């Protein structure tokens, strides 16, 4: 990638992870890649906002982009570390060995992490206070403590004169960014939608657990006149930053109230008996005009299931009994949803059993503290009979009635 001008003497320096097999955070598939963005303010004081990950040739790529602005690593006077996760700080150790004059600005909580992750002595850092302003030539940088978006030490940096928010992980998305399509207004409608969808998946995978902090962070930023959002992943929102701000608000609010009137249905089956009810359920939901997103466990990736479940007001689980318990691959799905604090859902479960069942009891025990409202369930022995199918339609119809009320 090449260095890109954002406005005046502010530049975006970025790399894309393009390896289709790379798992972000070691878990999440990124078949369409992800960008890691840093920002440079060139001037009386040269400021670098967020570093890059120390993988592949990323430090070299960012160094070359700096050279594109006629600067070397040694020329950076101020290093702003909004977030210590290694995708933005992996280069820190090497960077600080080369650059011995730069002063690091970060939160108080980040200082011990500088040492733990980058062997950078605390003397090199200044701990910001919430709302503090730092003048760098013509640029006025204000720091905001925004804990847990995404780690406890996270902050954001706001350039006051130009209304630019360097938001780090917040407002970020998966998806590699092209050289000539770094701004929202440079995207086709289709590509715009792609980044919106990838922002939801990124949110559900990375940030969702911390949604109450996102809401706090958003209200802290509410009084700012944000003209441009420069996140550390994905595109820059300069034409209409309210698009991504409103998405984030909505995503965060799903942790407190209903999601959209949609169902995420995850099914699993060993011998096809549970599977044989799938079409019937989908047809019943279709008839009630409730969109349904269908996933299989195992098979479909948990990162995608999470994004869909986060947004849907309804969850349906289809699973047979396995050794008196929930079918293990489904256990994993439920566990992940609970770890990510997927909550406030209307739930229906169905499945086949062989002798005395057990999955239903296990399922109920697992979701006891989830904030999921198990509206009803339907189980049958072996292969479903015609009567089972009729009962299933009735059960799903009753479920739809409640889901519609919930999302009114
Ligand atoms: C490994 C294994 C363990 C099972 N454990 C139980 C059990 O604990 N309780 C039960 O009622 N049925 C049990 N069954 C029977 C299945 O639940 C039953 O065959 C069911 O119809 C499978 O549904 P499916 O065709 O959707 O996989 C088990 C089956 C298998 C293969
Ligand atoms: Fe992060
Ligand atoms: Fe990140």
């Amino acid at each position: 990638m090449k260095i890109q001008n954002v406005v005046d003497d502010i530049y975006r320096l970025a790399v894309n992870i393009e390896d289709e097999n790379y798992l972000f955070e070691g878990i999440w598939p990124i078949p369409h890649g992800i960008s890691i963005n840093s920002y440079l303010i060139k001037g009386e004081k040269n400021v670098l906002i967020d570093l890059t990950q120390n993988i592949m040739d990323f430090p070299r790529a960012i160094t070359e982009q700096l050279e594109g602005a006629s600067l070397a690593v040694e020329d950076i006077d101020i290093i702003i570390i909004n977030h210590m996760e290694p995708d933005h700080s992996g280069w820190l150790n090497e960077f600080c060995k080369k650059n011995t004059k730069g002063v690091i600005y970060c939160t108080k909580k980040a200082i011990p992490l500088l040492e733990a992750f980058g062997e950078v002595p605390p003397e090199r850092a200044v701990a910001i206070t919430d709302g503090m302003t730092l003048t760098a030539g013509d640029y006025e940088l204000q720091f905001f403590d925004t804990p847990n978006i995404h780690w406890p030490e996270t902050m954001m940096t706001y350039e006051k004169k130009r209304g630019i928010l360097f938001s780090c992980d917040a407002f970020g998305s998966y998806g590699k960014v092209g050289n000539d399509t770094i701004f929202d207004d440079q995207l086709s409608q289709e590509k715009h939608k792609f980044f919106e969808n990838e922002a939801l998946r990124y949110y559900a995978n990375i940030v969702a657990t911390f949604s109450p902090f996102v809401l706090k962070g958003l209200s802290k930023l509410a009084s700012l006149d944000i003209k441009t959002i420069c996140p550390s992943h994905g595109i820059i929102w300069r034409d209409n930053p309210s698009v991504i701000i409103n998405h984030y608000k909505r995503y965060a609010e799903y942790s407190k109230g209903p999601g959209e009137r949609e169902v995420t249905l995850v099914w699993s089956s060993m011998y096809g008996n549970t599977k044989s009810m799938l079409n019937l359920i989908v047809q019943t939901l279709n008839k009630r005009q409730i969109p349904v997103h269908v996933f299989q466990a195992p098979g479909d990736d948990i990162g995608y299931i999470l994004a869909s479940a986060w947004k849907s007001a309804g969850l349906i689980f289809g699973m047979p009994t396995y050794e008196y318990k929930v079918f293990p691959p489904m256990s994993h799905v439920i566990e992940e949803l609970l770890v990510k604090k997927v909550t406030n859902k209307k739930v229906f479960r169905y499945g086949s059993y062989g002798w005395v069942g057990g999955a239903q009891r296990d399922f109920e025990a697992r979701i006891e503290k989830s904030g999921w409202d198990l509206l009803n369930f339907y189980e049958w022995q072996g292969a479903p009979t015609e009567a089972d199918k009729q009962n299933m339609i009735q059960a799903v119809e009753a479920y739809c009635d409640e889901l519609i009320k919930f999302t009114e």
Side-chain angles (χ1 to χ4, degrees):
M1 298 205 81
K2 58 179 189 201
I3 184 166
Q4 298 269 1
N5 184 240
V6 178
V7 69
D8 298 335
D9 276 324
I10 301 181
Y11 299 87
R12 171 188 178 272
L13 317 173
V15 289
N16 280 321
I17 298 180
E18 306 210 27
D19 176 358
E20 284 173 15
N21 298 316
Y22 188 90
L23 295 174
F24 192 66
E25 285 190 344
I27 320 178
W28 317 111
I30 41 169
H32 311 291
I34 188 169
S35 76
I36 300 176
N37 313 331
S38 304
Y39 296 92
L40 166 72
I41 301 174
K42 191 183 168 187
E44 231 168 87
K45 293 274 178 206
N46 296 314
V47 183
L48 190 56
I49 304 175
D50 291 323
L51 302 180
T52 196
Q53 196 165 351
N54 193 11
I55 54 167
M56 303 176 210
D57 64 343
F58 290 177
R60 188 173 58 80
I62 300 294
T63 305
E64 282 174 12
Q65 290 176 39
L66 267 178
E67 284 162 10
S70 307
L71 290 176
V73 165
E74 292 83 347
D75 297 327
I76 300 299
D77 302 291
I78 294 166
I79 307 146
I80 294 177
I81 298 288
N82 282 324
H83 181 19
M84 270 303 295
E85 191 166 7
D87 52 337
H88 310 293
S89 73
W91 188 24
L92 189 66
N93 179 278
E94 220 181 277
F95 186 95
C96 285
K97 276 185 194 154
K98 267 196 196 155
N99 175 314
T100 49
K101 71 168 180 182
V103 179
I104 297 171
Y105 286 80
C106 61
T107 61
K108 195 173 159 198
K109 281 190 193 145
I111 291 182
L113 302 189
L114 293 173
E115 198 155 25
F117 284 85
E119 295 169 37
V120 175
E123 301 78 61
R124 288 214 47 182
V126 172
I128 64 102
T129 52
D130 193 32
M132 164 184 157
T133 300
L134 171 72
T135 303
D138 182 41
Y139 297 84
E140 253 184 77
L141 301 167
Q142 192 172 18
F143 303 118
F144 292 98
D145 222 341
T146 51
N148 295 314
I149 324 175
H150 152 234
W151 280 8
E153 86 304 345
T154 312
M155 67 175 197
M156 294 188 202
T157 302
Y158 178 65
E159 203 292 310
K160 284 166 90 168
K161 288 191 184 169
R162 295 155 187 87
I164 301 177
L165 183 69
F166 300 96
S167 59
C168 202
D169 277 352
F171 311 119
S173 74
Y174 293 135
K176 67 179 173 190
V177 177
N179 254 330
D180 302 312
T181 48
I182 70 163
F183 297 106
D184 54 349
D185 50 285
Q186 293 173 324
L187 304 177
S188 65
Q189 233 178 355
E190 190 192 342
K191 210 63 191 158
H192 207 282
K193 200 76 222 157
F194 164 83
F195 277 107
E196 287 177 59
N197 289 337
E198 288 290 74
L200 168 64
R201 196 163 67 91
Y202 178 86
Y203 186 92
N205 294 177
I206 314 286
V207 194
T209 314
F210 309 106
S211 289
F213 291 94
V214 174
L215 289 170
K216 268 191 209 159
L218 286 171
S219 58
K220 187 179 271 191
L221 303 174
S223 62
L224 302 182
D225 180 17
I226 299 172
K227 295 195 172 71
T228 303
I229 293 181
C230 288
S232 60
H233 303 288
I235 55 167
I236 296 172
W237 302 82
R238 72 173 174 190
D239 182 45
N240 197 355
S242 65
V243 169
I244 194 70
I245 293 174
N246 290 337
H247 278 324
Y248 259 65
K249 230 179 249 167
R250 221 159 30 86
Y251 304 158
E253 275 166 0
Y254 293 153
S255 68
K256 296 199 311 185
E260 307 299 317
R261 186 180 291 168
E262 292 175 12
V263 164
T264 293
L265 187 161
V266 192
W267 68 275
S268 53
S269 185
M270 296 180 278
Y271 292 106
N273 291 315
T274 306
K275 182 182 177 186
S276 66
M277 287 286 204
L278 178 64
N279 283 344
L280 201 67
I281 296 169
V282 170
Q283 279 162 14
T284 309
L285 291 164
N286 284 345
K287 204 181 89 200
R288 302 297 297 271
Q289 297 183 321
I290 297 174
V292 54
H293 312 284
V294 178
F295 299 90
Q296 186 181 356
D300 286 316
D301 184 81
I302 187 67
Y304 286 84
I305 298 175
L306 260 172
S308 178
W310 187 260
K311 179 164 169 260
S312 302
L315 301 179
I316 297 183
F317 297 94
M319 89 214 46
T321 293
Y322 186 101
E323 294 175 358
Y324 303 99
K325 291 200 156 57
V326 162
F327 187 53
M330 190 61 85
S331 237
H332 171 66
V333 170
I334 294 164
E335 197 56 44
E336 280 286 346
L337 296 179
L338 297 182
V339 165
K340 288 291 168 189
K341 296 201 166 66
V342 171
T343 188
N344 293 312
K345 305 294 176 188
K346 296 291 178 194
V347 175
F348 175 70
R349 187 221 146 223
Y350 68 97
S352 172
Y353 62 91
W355 45 98
V356 289
Q360 183 60 27
R361 197 183 46 230
D362 184 29
F363 181 68
E364 285 177 22
R366 275 159 189 267
I367 68 167
E368 213 184 334
K369 294 186 183 133
S370 61
W372 299 356
D373 181 10
L374 180 67
L375 291 176
N376 53 354
F377 68 95
Y378 191 72
E379 285 194 305
W380 65 95
Q381 193 169 21
T385 62
E386 218 23 68
D388 286 321
K389 290 181 183 169
Q390 290 312 313
N391 290 339
M392 177 64 94
I393 293 175
Q394 275 184 16
V396 176
E397 288 276 9
Y399 171 79
C400 290
D401 291 341
E402 292 301 315
L403 186 66
I404 288 168
K405 269 193 238 158
F406 181 54
T407 49
E408 249 154 19

